[in-house]
Amino acid sequence: MQGAQSPPAPVLVGDDRDPHLQAVAQLVREKTRYEPQLLATSHRQSWRVTDLGASPGIRGFIRGLPLQATTASEAEGSAWRDLSEGLAYDRRISWLTPLDRLRRADNKLFQYQVATEANVTVPRTIVARRVSDITNYVGDPFVLKPLGAGVVHRTGETPKVFYTTPVSSSEIRDDELETTPAIAQQLLTAQRHLRVVTVGQRCWAFSLDADGLPTDWREATPRERSPWETHVPTAELAEKALDLARRFGVGFSSQDWIVQANRCWFIDLNPCGAWLFGPAESSSQVTAAIADWLMRRSQPSS
């Protein structure tokens, strides 16, 4: 039976195969004698809605949504989304980042609006329907980013898939921009890539040498890039990263920044982003901070 002074078992939402979720769950197990409540599709379980979160003061961490198999049909996927959202909106659970804030913070256009209001340096950004509008505002070549799925549709042709991709004006046509809105952004020449992670009012940073890497460093294999290093953020960078997390109302954030000409540029924020690829001495502290919050060993972020 649960002791009077022990916190209730926290709720973790996501894929139980995800190493980030596994790391948090393992710490919870090690520091308490309770098994976290894991809401994952692969757990062949039923959810008794009236029982979930019945313990007072229960806390939760949403690592990923929706809870659905990748092979699900559209109808099946819709049902899984309804399930995951219904569980994540449970008002009896205090979430590190509530679902409504998570979804809002995940919108790239909203991110740039908030960052601009916070006087954070961001690349020139436009959502345009004509290539000439892009080149006149952000230059040529430029970076093309998806607003949703990374696809632009060519009229009468096979759709073209893209992610964060540098392109020139000769590689994109007006009709592609008209059918699928996309973000066009000023192309930066990175010296270093920074991953800045926040949990509550704490901040960590990892750094990657950008020399020889593609614009999107994720396109390079681990052998093609140097290891990520622990980075001590300047007071200004830490303050800006924490301020952005506060403005978005997220208890956890994984932010991408670029250093160009010794100046830090905000690229985007992921409210469900990764951190374990960083050096173990730093990434383990992030895991511990999330677990501690779930076990009521630190104060809520908002």
Side-chain angles (χ1 to χ4, degrees):
M1 184 173 180
Q2 189 164 301
Q5 299 303 316
S6 300
V11 175
L12 304 178
V13 181
D15 185 346
D16 61 334
R17 297 164 296 183
D18 171 34
H20 297 79
L21 212 61
Q22 291 175 350
V24 173
Q26 183 59 34
L27 265 187
V28 171
R29 294 188 192 101
E30 291 175 358
K31 295 183 178 182
T32 71
R33 54 193 178 94
Y34 305 112
E35 183 71 19
Q37 301 181 67
L38 182 60
L39 308 183
T41 306
S42 56
H43 270 210
R44 305 291 182 180
Q45 68 184 79
S46 299
W47 290 278
R48 296 184 300 181
V49 177
T50 54
D51 291 346
L52 182 63
S55 301
I58 195 168
R59 290 186 173 184
F61 173 52
I62 302 173
R63 164 64 183 157
L65 287 173
L67 297 173
Q68 69 179 79
T70 56
T71 57
S73 67
E74 182 176 351
E76 292 168 337
S78 176
W80 280 112
R81 281 191 296 273
D82 286 346
L83 170 63
S84 60
E85 290 181 359
L87 297 172
Y89 279 129
D90 192 318
R91 292 182 293 179
R92 296 166 294 184
I93 302 174
S94 176
W95 298 100
L96 182 57
T97 299
L99 181 58
D100 54 348
R101 296 182 186 179
L102 185 152
R103 292 201 181 283
R104 185 181 63 171
D106 202 34
N107 186 288
K108 290 184 177 64
L109 292 183
F110 181 61
Q111 290 180 20
Y112 297 131
Q113 294 168 16
V114 172
T116 300
E117 293 170 359
N119 294 316
V120 171
T121 303
V122 299
R124 291 191 301 275
T125 303
I126 187 174
V127 178
R129 300 187 68 183
R130 295 185 300 181
V131 176
S132 59
D133 290 340
I134 296 175
T135 56
N136 289 338
Y137 184 61
V138 306
D140 191 7
F142 50 88
V143 172
L144 200 63
K145 293 182 176 182
L147 270 171
V151 177
V152 291
H153 291 276
R154 297 171 177 265
T155 303
E157 300 177 19
T158 301
K160 179 169 62 178
V161 180
F162 72 99
Y163 299 98
T164 300
T165 308
V167 299
S168 65
S169 57
S170 62
E171 298 176 88
I172 193 79
R173 302 195 307 255
D174 287 350
D175 66 297
E176 296 173 307
L177 298 174
E178 290 172 352
T179 56
T180 308
I183 294 174
Q185 204 165 63
Q186 174 186 358
L187 177 62
L188 301 177
T189 303
Q191 294 171 295
R192 301 195 73 81
H193 296 280
L194 300 180
R195 174 62 59 92
V196 182
V197 181
T198 67
V199 179
Q201 295 304 307
R202 299 182 65 187
C203 177
W204 299 262
F206 315 135
S207 174
L208 176 67
D209 186 353
D211 185 35
L213 295 183
T215 299
D216 188 342
W217 60 265
R218 293 168 297 185
E219 295 179 1
T221 66
R223 290 186 177 182
E224 294 172 331
R225 61 177 188 257
S226 57
W228 283 84
E229 302 173 349
T230 296
H231 181 83
V232 179
T234 63
E236 180 183 16
L237 175 59
E239 181 180 352
K240 288 181 176 180
L242 290 168
D243 182 49
L244 286 176
R246 180 187 62 78
R247 288 172 182 264
F248 288 120
V250 296
F252 168 89
S253 74
S254 180
Q255 305 177 22
D256 284 325
W257 295 67
I258 280 179
V259 179
Q260 175 184 266
N262 298 315
R263 186 181 188 185
C264 289
W265 299 68
F266 172 75
I267 303 302
D268 59 31
L269 178 149
N270 189 334
C272 296
W275 69 88
L276 287 182
F277 61 80
E281 66 271 16
S282 299
S283 60
S284 62
Q285 294 178 30
V286 176
T287 305
I290 296 171
D292 285 344
W293 185 86
L294 289 168
M295 296 181 293
R296 304 170 63 89
R297 297 184 178 184
S298 60
Q299 293 300 312
S301 58
S302 59

